[in-house]
Amino acid sequence: MTSKQITTASKFLSLVLRHKPSTIGLVLDAAGWAEVDELLAKAASADHTLSRALLEEVVETSDKKRFAFSEDGLRIRANQGHSVEIELGLPPLAPPAMLYHGTASRFLDSILAQGLTKRQRHHVHLSESRETAVEVGQRYGPPVLLAVDAHGMSAEGFLFFRSENNVWLTDHVPPGYLSVAEAGGVE
Ligand code: HQG
């Protein structure tokens, strides 16, 4: 299996498991799971040849652990990042004192006015690692790193969740809990 095949399959899975299952007529359950057999059959009829082995390779090699199989291996879902309506069923969890969010500097004024909002996703995505946050921010242009006072938010009753791939999720970060942080420094 080539890394190109794996990347292509991963992008296709992001499309059908996070955003547009309807493009291949797939229906996700309330928690975002797709039946593996149904996914393989429907992908094949849409000219996307996947195999169980290729799915396993994507799940195992994904740097960000984007996808997971159910315990019995019969279903697969995206761990986070959805734009379709699903409920991941994660329990709220006490966050670390500080979390980080990387964004593009051109979004900064809007973020400092409105706070961090979910945009197309289901949650605001936050990271424990500054480095990861900067990488995420870089996708949209010259990055800026924001520190989030997660303890302060938690004390005020804001809920936090942690996805299986260690992304921290919350609904909204009001501007009062945000500060611009130094991108460098220790993890
Ligand atoms: C910004 C990737 C203006 C926000 C990454 C971000 C991550 C605002 C963009 C995961 C704003 C949304 C998520 C406001 C937020 N005004 N801009 N009030 N509030 N924004 O991609 O967090 O490859 O939906 O800062 O690694 O960047 O998909 O969210 O720049 O883990 O697995 O609006 O996606 O993972 O962008 O990234 P996104 P994100 P995957």
Side-chain angles (χ1 to χ4, degrees), residues 80-91:
Q80 34 67 234
H82 300 83
S83 61
V84 287
E85 205 50 55
I86 62 122
E87 181 49 67
L88 289 170
L90 299 169

Side-chain angles (χ1 to χ4, degrees), residues 1 6 52-62 69:
M1 229 164 275
I6 295 172
R52 168 104 209 169
L54 184 53
L55 294 184
E56 281 169 6
E57 200 70 22
V58 172
V59 168
E60 274 159 33
T61 59
S62 162
F69 285 108

Side-chain angles (χ1 to χ4, degrees), residues 18-187:
R18 285 170 158 182
H19 306 301
K20 292 204 166 154
S22 59
T23 52
I24 57 166
L26 188 68
V27 179
L28 307 182
D29 78 3
W33 294 107
E35 300 286 339
V36 171
D37 288 346
E38 187 187 345
L39 169 65
L40 296 180
K42 291 192 166 158
S45 19
D47 273 347
H48 271 274
T49 312
L50 295 173
S51 63
R52 168 104 209 169
L54 184 53
L55 294 184
E56 281 169 6
E57 200 70 22
V58 172
V59 168
E60 274 159 33
T61 59
S62 162
D63 49 345
K64 292 187 181 166
K65 303 257 174 291
R66 290 189 177 93
F67 310 101
F69 285 108
S70 55
E71 268 175 32
D72 60 12
L74 296 178
R75 295 174 301 160
I76 186 168
R77 75 173 175 185
N79 284 325
Q80 34 67 234
H82 300 83
S83 61
V84 287
E85 205 50 55
I86 62 122
E87 181 49 67
L88 289 170
L90 299 169
L93 205 64
M98 275 296 175
L99 286 169
Y100 298 94
H101 180 90
T103 189
S105 49
R106 67 197 149 94
F107 298 152
L108 193 57
D109 287 350
S110 162
I111 291 174
L112 292 178
Q114 301 169 4
L116 287 171
T117 58
K118 314 186 250 196
R119 320 293 280 185
Q120 314 294 343
R121 307 211 189 223
H122 283 215
H123 296 97
V124 172
H125 288 217
L126 303 170
S127 162
E128 280 178 50
S129 139
R130 290 167 176 248
E131 198 179 58
T132 304
V134 171
E135 278 168 24
V136 169
Q138 261 161 1
R139 294 174 306 144
Y140 294 119
V144 57
L145 180 66
L146 295 169
V148 174
D149 173 13
H151 262 183
M153 285 181 65
S154 183
E156 291 300 318
F158 288 87
L159 295 182
F160 287 83
F161 307 88
R162 192 178 56 199
S163 70
E164 271 188 52
N165 53 346
N166 284 322
V167 176
W168 283 88
L169 306 168
T170 194
D171 263 355
H172 174 225
V173 180
Y177 298 100
L178 287 170
S179 52
V180 177
E182 287 292 325
V186 240
E187 277 294 298

